Amino acid sequence: MPANNGSAGGTRLVIVESPAKAKTIAGYLGRGYIVESSIGHIRDLPEKAVDIPEKLKGEPWARLGVNVDHGFEPLYVVNPDKRAQVNKLKQLLRDADELFLATDEDREGEAIAWHLREVLKPEVPVHRMVFHEITPQAIRDAVSNPRDLNLRLVDAQETRRILDRLYGYEVSPVLWKKVKPRLSAGRVQSVATRLVVERERERLAFTPAHYWDLQALFDSNKPEERPRDFTATLTGVDGRRVAQGRDFASTGTLKSSEVLHLSEAAAGELAARLQGASFAVRSVERRPYTRKPYAPFRTTTLQQEASRKLGFSAKYTMQVAQRLYEQGFITYMRTDSITLSETAIAAARSQAIKLYGSAYVPDKPRVYTSKVKSAQEAHEAIRPSGEEFRTPGETGLSGDMFRLYELIWQRTVSSQMKDAVGESISVKVGGRSSSGENVEFSASGRTITFYGFLKAYVEGADDPSTDRDDSEKRLPNLAEGDALGLSRLDVAGHSTKPPARYTEASLVKELEDREIGRPSTYASIIGTILDRGYVFKKGTALVPSFLAFAVVNLLEQHFGNLVDYDFTAEMEKVLDDIANDRAERVPELRRFYYGHEGDAGLKEMVTDLGDIDAKEISSFPIRGTDIVIRVGRYGPYLDRDGARVNVPEDMTPDELTAEKAEELFSRPTGDRELGQDPVTGHLIVAKDGRFGPYVTEVLPAPQEEEGAPKRRTKKADAAKPRTSSLFKTMSLDTVTLEDALRLLSIPRVVGELEGEEVVAFNGKFGPYLKKGTDSRSLASEDDLLTVTIEQAKELFAQPKQRGRGRAAAAAPLRELGDDPNSKKPVVVKEGRFGPYVTDGETNASLRKGDTVEDITIDRAAELLAERRERAPAPKKTTARKPAAKKPAAAKSTTAKSATAKTTASKSTASKTTASKTTASKSTTAKSTTAKTTTAKKSAAKP
């Protein structure tokens, strides 16, 4: 039901995107308003062939949904699941005398508003109502100050949609033919996948370097000092700097011969020569330390910080933020801006003074300027809504909504507080060895004398070994020439590490730094590459699959421009130019699809695929061996001169070393003959398959009568060999013929109860008995072979248990700690679907890359949070409504022709920066309309 504040036949219809947003806004509007939701986009390009109008199915461009030969006119169809909602909106509009389109104030929201106007065809005044926070005052201001539709934003969104459709629908079929069916390519998703793959390539090519230094514990000889001792590291010998990690290349070699590379033996010998040496402070350098507050959140920094501090995925962060926004707790959460309104600045300063005192707030407000070069729209930063901020405790929120609001509130308030100040100290300690070597040790420290904004908020870090901004390292009060005592001297070994894999937070940062894609789309992009199997998580790290290597290999070699980082970033600038009236849609689309000035376009790239060697694309030699990793239809496998072995599903690329590959080949392949079945005479063999080890029988080839014509037997009609998976307690190299024959007896008829057969099955979820439509689980796989009809009778006499608790509760595999959301202890358990984490209320299976041994409480909390989010909403029963009136005849859908452009605005039939009429983007063919210097912008009312 719409949120109805009006009298019968309410006068103003307000349409937003979501029911939650509609409910909140309806509470702020007075009588005379009906607030209803479109439930997102109401129409889009067709997803399936059945959605294409019958008369257009023969058109060569119909499969794309874009008429590439006629001005790249999109074919829009109302989504099948939105037809009922569209009819409902039309019914409500009949009783309204004004229409307010109150969708989000960004390109996507502007496009939804335009589609609503085109489909609903209102005959009443239409207003564009915009706001960036849902508060009573903001909503009243938005109603009082509407604007026209911004068609430049609509053009930019439509161009992006068409680009993505052309890319996906033209390139994905290439992947189907050359790599694997049902794969997908995307303009930004493929580039994001390439980033993850390139990082893994760097890790694979990396050679660690090993180096040593000395760690000394010095005594200041000042009993009154706290601390009295301090640790220093050897940094120089006879004027040569001792090599550190940064001095080595990724090949494991030194970048410069001027530094001293100490081996373990050399470091140990030097330590021996320093025993009994005298040490003194050579220099003390003190510098003021200042740390400025962090800017308020924008979309990407919120995603990064929620990942670091709360363990949220980018997608889940945006889902929680969306709920906070729609319920009026924060401002709009898709923004590139870090600026705050004067009202927000005043609210943040007032709250900082109230909580921390005026000494923590500067005399003048802080003003932040965005560093994002191509900020999309002029929103505020993400902040608590309203003219006065509610503290987290005053919101009444709980769970993840509370935690995310608290993070936003802390960041916003701290952004208007004073700098943190203190002192940084660097100390050099010198001495001479017994052989006269001049050695130098270094130590550094930091003290904070005024915490400033750090009282309210400290930013997290991607590298857990990084010191937090509020951390201190105190040194004794030292002066040049002070004599020191040597309490301990240790040889310390180090190894260089390969570049860290991306996490969701660091991948978001990398995409933004390279200006690839829009910040508002990063969450869905990461979600897509995870869902498609191109990337999986190991802890918080994003690991590319072997499939991703094959896809990126093909795209780099044959579609280089499409996954080029600069090219992809340039396309975002083109979309910005269209939004800002500096470029036109059709010429840019033509350049992308057909090419320009010698540069091949997308159409040419996908036309000739003959030179793509599918086998070569999906093959990756393992360095130092004759073994090749290949990506096949059923997953990755190793190939050596025709001999094959499957690669374990959860194995990461950098784990598949030459030694590991040899180990996989040394394992039993499973193609082991066990003997003949004494009853049938068929050969029984053990094999290793995609879903694990199994035994099967080899059926003899069917006999053909001499001279009889050969007949093709349908696969469904062919005789099928008996097959059975090995029990978990069995292994390929020890299974016997007797074991195999017992396994092949499953399903086993146990006997008869109440006139029905009782059969023992080994099912997908474990062993069980079945009697008609009734079933009971068995305690172990061995019971399949031993259970008697008497035992079966007892089992069926017991009530049927459901869920993971049907067996006696097993002890947890691990205890991880308390879930930050539910505050309940989280444990890892073994279930029928495999290991899972649970807090006693919510269960979440471990994903590919997660292991029982390595999973952390942060990762478990993320899995549980995502599982809660996916939980279905309770079903609501609603009264049956009378059938809607028959809608008007549907519009035909053909392409619009390009519009000739002059120096002035477009006529009523074409787009303008103010509004689009129904004619401007009708789904019937559009005539070419010239712009003239006297043309006027069309009114919002058609």
Side-chain angles (χ1 to χ4, degrees):
M1 289 294 292
N4 191 340
N5 291 338
S7 54
T11 58
R12 292 179 171 183
L13 174 62
V14 179
I15 303 179
V16 298
E17 302 99 317
S18 74
K21 190 175 174 181
K23 182 178 179 181
T24 305
I25 292 174
Y28 297 150
L29 292 174
R31 293 182 61 81
Y33 290 90
I34 297 176
V35 187
E36 183 55 273
S37 165
S38 67
I39 317 178
H41 276 280
I42 59 168
R43 68 174 185 173
D44 196 2
L45 303 176
E47 291 294 329
K48 302 175 183 176
V50 70
D51 298 331
I52 300 173
E54 195 65 36
K55 67 178 182 178
L56 297 176
K57 287 185 176 179
E59 297 290 341
W61 53 267
R63 70 177 183 87
L64 295 173
V66 179
N67 191 341
V68 295
D69 298 320
H70 197 260
F72 292 87
E73 181 71 16
L75 169 62
Y76 288 123
V77 295
V78 175
N79 302 336
D81 60 339
K82 297 296 175 64
R83 288 170 186 161
Q85 189 67 13
V86 169
N87 288 336
K88 180 179 181 180
L89 293 173
K90 287 181 177 179
Q91 293 267 24
L92 294 171
L93 187 58
R94 290 193 185 105
D95 297 326
D97 54 19
E98 284 184 276
L99 173 62
F100 285 81
L101 300 174
T103 50
D104 292 340
E105 192 187 8
D106 57 12
R107 295 176 191 171
E108 209 69 25
E110 207 74 15
I112 293 174
W114 178 79
H115 281 293
L116 283 167
R117 194 186 71 178
E118 295 298 292
V119 171
L120 299 180
K121 300 183 181 301
E123 297 179 356
V124 296
V126 180
H127 310 287
R128 180 73 173 100
M129 175 178 161
V130 294
F131 43 87
H132 62 268
E133 61 180 340
I134 302 178
T135 61
Q137 187 59 48
I139 298 304
R140 287 194 293 269
D141 291 345
V143 170
S144 302
N145 301 283
R147 62 165 172 80
D148 292 327
L149 279 168
N150 185 334
L151 299 190
R152 299 308 303 181
L153 296 183
V154 178
D155 265 349
Q157 188 277 342
E158 182 174 87
T159 306
R160 181 201 61 78
R161 185 70 184 95
I162 293 173
L163 282 172
D164 291 346
R165 170 55 66 96
L166 295 176
Y167 191 120
Y169 273 44
E170 294 285 29
V171 180
S172 295
V174 180
L175 302 182
W176 305 343
K177 295 174 185 176
K178 300 297 182 178
V179 180
K180 185 180 177 181
R182 303 181 65 82
L183 296 179
S184 73
R187 185 175 58 88
V188 180
Q189 110 186 20
S190 296
V191 175
T193 303
R194 184 190 173 198
L195 279 170
V196 180
V197 167
E198 280 200 335
R199 179 59 57 87
E200 197 71 11
R201 287 172 179 165
E202 292 173 15
R203 291 173 60 84
L204 291 169
F206 183 82
T207 301
H210 307 289
Y211 60 99
W212 282 260
D213 56 28
L214 302 179
Q215 301 287 327
L217 179 65
F218 289 114
D219 183 353
S220 67
N221 297 318
K222 298 179 179 181
E224 72 280 3
E225 286 293 326
R226 293 290 183 272
R228 172 175 171 169
D229 299 332
F230 67 98
T231 302
T233 303
L234 178 70
T235 54
V237 178
D238 288 336
R240 292 181 68 189
R241 185 167 60 81
V242 175
Q244 299 177 334
R246 66 175 183 270
D247 296 310
F248 295 90
S250 61
T251 56
T253 57
L254 277 174
K255 298 176 183 177
S256 170
S257 60
E258 295 180 1
V259 297
L260 176 62
H261 181 191
L262 287 177
S263 65
E264 183 176 15
E269 292 167 1
L270 178 58
R273 294 194 296 272
L274 287 172
Q275 294 298 330
S278 297
F279 293 92
V281 176
R282 286 184 177 172
S283 68
V284 177
E285 184 181 355
R286 301 177 186 275
R287 299 183 306 276
Y289 165 78
T290 302
R291 184 67 176 89
K292 294 183 179 300
Y294 321 101
F297 282 131
R298 59 181 186 273
T299 301
T300 53
T301 52
L302 177 63
Q303 290 171 356
Q304 292 168 50
E305 193 70 345
S307 174
R308 298 178 191 125
K309 287 195 166 185
L310 307 181
F312 291 177
S313 66
K315 181 178 180 181
Y316 187 64
T317 298
M318 297 311 291
Q319 290 171 343
V320 177
Q322 179 87 34
R323 295 203 300 270
L324 287 171
Y325 166 67
E326 290 176 345
Q327 294 180 31
F329 289 103
I330 64 170
T331 54
Y332 191 55
M333 66 287 159
R334 295 185 181 92
T335 175
D336 298 325
S337 176
I338 56 173
T339 61
L340 294 175
S341 66
E342 291 183 5
T343 301
I345 289 174
R349 288 171 60 84
S350 172
Q351 198 145 82
I353 292 172
K354 181 179 179 181
L355 294 173
Y356 304 104
S358 58
Y360 282 84
V361 180
D363 295 335
K364 293 183 179 180
R366 291 185 181 274
V367 177
Y368 295 91
T369 305
S370 177
K371 296 180 181 179
V372 179
K373 296 178 182 177
S374 54
Q376 183 174 306
E377 279 91 33
H379 297 300
E380 263 193 274
I382 305 170
R383 62 167 177 84
S385 60
E387 297 181 0
E388 293 183 359
F389 297 164
R390 286 169 283 188
T391 64
E394 294 170 339
T395 61
L397 294 169
S398 61
D400 291 342
M401 290 180 70
F402 175 89
R403 297 170 69 205
L404 192 64
Y405 178 86
E406 182 180 46
L407 196 69
I408 295 167
W409 173 82
Q410 288 174 337
R411 180 87 164 213
T412 308
V413 171
S414 69
S415 72
Q416 290 300 315
M417 295 175 67
K418 283 185 177 180
D419 298 344
V421 296
E423 185 178 61
S424 295
I425 307 169
S426 296
V427 176
K428 303 290 186 185
V429 176
R432 286 193 178 274
S433 70
S434 59
S435 59
E437 294 151 307
N438 181 11
V439 298
E440 188 168 84
F441 290 79
S442 298
S444 61
R446 181 175 70 192
T447 57
I448 300 175
T449 56
F450 178 73
Y451 277 81
F453 76 95
L454 294 176
K455 279 277 189 180
Y457 185 80
V458 182
E459 189 173 63
D462 294 319
D463 184 355
S465 64
T466 303
D467 289 336
R468 286 165 44 111
D469 285 336
D470 63 343
S471 63
E472 291 187 291
K473 182 181 178 183
R474 293 183 176 273
L475 297 177
N477 188 17
L478 300 170
E480 188 175 326
D482 283 353
L484 304 174
L486 180 62
S487 302
R488 192 178 69 243
L489 188 61
D490 299 322
V491 175
H494 311 275
S495 296
T496 55
K497 296 180 180 179
R501 288 190 177 106
Y502 287 110
T503 62
E504 288 203 25
S506 59
L507 182 58
V508 164
K509 185 176 187 305
E510 186 71 17
L511 289 168
E512 184 177 41
D513 289 346
R514 291 178 180 267
E515 299 181 16
I516 293 170
R518 299 302 320 172
S520 58
T521 65
Y522 291 159
S524 62
I525 290 166
I526 293 174
T528 297
I529 64 178
L530 284 166
D531 294 341
R532 297 289 183 183
Y534 293 143
V535 171
F536 63 94
K537 279 190 173 182
K538 194 172 182 68
T540 59
L542 298 175
V543 184
S545 63
F546 291 103
L547 176 64
F549 274 79
V551 168
V552 170
N553 212 14
L554 185 151
L555 293 175
E556 286 177 334
Q557 292 183 30
H558 300 278
F559 300 91
N561 247 8
L562 299 184
V563 287
D564 179 78
Y565 301 132
D566 292 337
F567 175 81
T568 308
E570 186 61 35
M571 289 306 302
E572 295 301 331
K573 294 176 183 175
V574 167
L575 296 176
D576 292 337
D577 286 344
I578 292 172
N580 293 310
D581 205 12
R582 295 191 297 263
E584 290 298 320
R585 181 178 70 88
V586 173
E588 297 298 342
L589 287 170
R590 186 178 293 114
R591 189 192 312 268
F592 173 77
Y593 192 69
Y594 289 112
H596 180 69
E597 295 181 354
D599 293 332
L602 177 62
K603 183 176 177 61
E604 183 181 340
M605 293 181 193
V606 299
T607 300
D608 184 12
L609 305 179
D611 61 340
I612 299 180
D613 186 331
K615 187 174 183 180
E616 180 185 353
I617 285 293
S618 299
S619 300
F620 312 98
I622 296 180
R623 188 168 50 178
T625 73
D626 58 349
I627 302 173
V628 179
I629 306 169
R630 301 195 194 280
V631 178
R633 180 179 293 264
Y634 302 114
Y637 62 92
L638 300 180
D639 187 346
R640 173 192 269 160
D641 297 329
R644 298 183 176 186
V645 62
N646 290 330
V647 175
E649 188 178 87
D650 59 350
M651 181 169 286
T652 62
D654 67 343
E655 291 174 348
L656 192 48
T657 60
E659 294 76 15
K660 191 65 179 180
E662 293 289 357
E663 179 188 327
L664 291 173
F665 267 110
S666 68
R667 293 178 182 175
T669 62
D671 294 303
R672 188 162 68 89
E673 295 184 2
L674 302 179
Q676 287 187 319
D677 184 339
V679 177
T680 65
H682 296 160
L683 177 66
I684 307 299
V685 295
K687 292 174 175 272
D688 191 10
R690 284 180 61 212
F691 305 109
Y694 66 99
V695 292
T696 186
E697 61 182 342
V698 180
L699 299 181
Q703 297 292 323
E704 297 281 352
E705 293 184 14
E706 189 175 345
K710 291 186 177 181
R711 293 185 300 173
R712 297 182 63 182
T713 304
K714 293 182 179 179
K715 190 173 181 180
D717 297 333
K720 294 181 174 60
R722 292 175 296 160
T723 300
S724 181
S725 296
L726 266 62
F727 288 172
K728 292 178 181 179
T729 55
M730 298 177 178
S731 64
L732 277 174
D733 52 347
T734 60
V735 67
T736 65
L737 176 62
E738 182 182 1
D739 293 332
L741 293 175
R742 296 173 72 203
L743 290 172
L744 293 175
S745 70
I746 302 170
R748 181 175 74 89
V749 177
V750 177
E752 189 174 295
L753 283 176
E754 301 171 355
E756 291 185 293
E757 272 191 343
V758 177
V759 184
F761 289 91
N762 200 4
K764 181 179 180 182
F765 306 122
Y768 67 99
L769 293 175
K770 186 173 183 182
K771 177 174 69 81
T773 58
D774 200 4
S775 63
R776 292 292 186 278
S777 294
L778 292 171
S780 71
E781 290 177 318
D782 290 334
D783 289 347
L784 289 166
L785 304 171
T786 61
V787 65
T788 64
I789 191 64
E790 289 77 16
Q791 292 170 324
K793 184 176 181 180
E794 291 179 13
L795 282 173
F796 280 105
Q798 298 171 6
K800 189 172 184 178
Q801 294 183 341
R802 299 186 180 276
R804 282 181 167 133
R806 66 179 64 195
L813 304 177
R814 277 186 65 201
E815 296 179 357
L816 301 178
D818 290 346
D819 177 31
N821 179 33
S822 66
K823 309 300 183 187
K824 296 183 177 181
V826 177
V827 296
V828 185
K829 289 190 173 183
E830 183 66 47
R832 293 194 305 158
F833 304 92
Y836 65 99
V837 292
T838 179
D839 65 350
E841 291 183 350
T842 304
N843 300 339
S845 297
L846 269 60
R847 307 271 182 84
K848 180 179 177 181
D850 295 327
T851 63
V852 173
E853 298 76 19
D854 297 334
I855 192 166
T856 64
I857 183 60
D858 289 339
R859 174 63 174 152
E862 178 185 351
L863 293 173
L864 291 171
E866 290 181 355
R867 185 67 186 87
R868 292 186 195 102
E869 183 64 23
R870 293 198 307 271
K875 292 183 179 179
K876 295 180 180 179
T877 55
T878 54
R880 184 181 296 274
K881 296 181 181 179
K885 295 180 182 178
K886 187 176 180 180
K891 296 183 283 182
S892 62
T893 50
T894 59
K896 59 183 177 185
S897 60
T899 304
K901 187 175 180 181
T902 68
T903 56
S905 59
K906 297 182 183 179
S907 66
T908 304
S910 63
K911 299 181 186 179
T912 73
T913 55
S915 65
K916 291 186 182 181
T917 65
T918 304
S920 72
K921 270 192 180 267
S922 69
T923 47
T924 56
K926 299 186 181 181
S927 59
T928 304
T929 307
K931 291 185 178 182
T932 66
T933 55
T934 59
K936 302 292 184 182
K937 295 179 180 178
S938 59
K941 180 179 178 180

